[in-house]
């Protein structure tokens, strides 16, 4: 099952859904925890950043990067998010 942030990463809305999920977090610590979770592999090894990049959602990529997503994490296939 994908997290809400993973689903938001592929929404065709220029990052609005990602911003919304992150904005619901009450504190910076909770947002950091969400981004850390988004950096975990889900269904097939992709992080939320992998999914946003694969879906071509530049806005979501930007929002995830601003929130601290790890662009150096490889998925189960050995690919970086921007590959």
């Amino acid at each position: 099952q994908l997290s809400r942030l993973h689903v938001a990463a592929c929404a065709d809305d220029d990052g609005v859904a990602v911003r919304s999920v992150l904005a619901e977090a009450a504190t910076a610590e909770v947002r950091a925890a969400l981004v850390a979770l988004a950096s975990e592999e889900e269904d097939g090894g992709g992080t939320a950043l992998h999914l946003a990049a694969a879906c071509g959602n530049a806005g979501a990529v930007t929002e995830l990067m601003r929130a601290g997503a790890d662009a150096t994490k490889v998925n189960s296939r050995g690919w970086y998010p921007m590959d």
Side-chain angles (χ1 to χ4, degrees):
Q1 179 176 342
L2 296 174
S3 73
R4 287 183 61 219
L5 199 51
H6 281 79
V7 173
C10 275
D12 187 20
D13 63 0
D14 200 32
V16 172
V18 167
R19 261 192 316 277
S20 176
V21 171
L22 292 173
E24 290 174 11
T27 65
E29 290 81 16
V30 174
R31 277 188 298 282
L34 267 175
V35 172
L37 172 65
S39 292
E40 296 301 314
E41 295 183 15
E42 294 276 351
D43 292 347
T47 66
L49 188 57
H50 281 93
L51 292 176
C55 291
N57 190 342
V61 168
T62 299
E63 294 300 326
L64 289 165
M65 294 297 295
R66 283 183 185 154
D70 186 356
T72 65
K73 184 162 181 141
V74 296
N75 67 10
S76 60
R77 295 179 181 147
W79 296 351
Y80 291 95
M82 305 311 163
D83 283 348

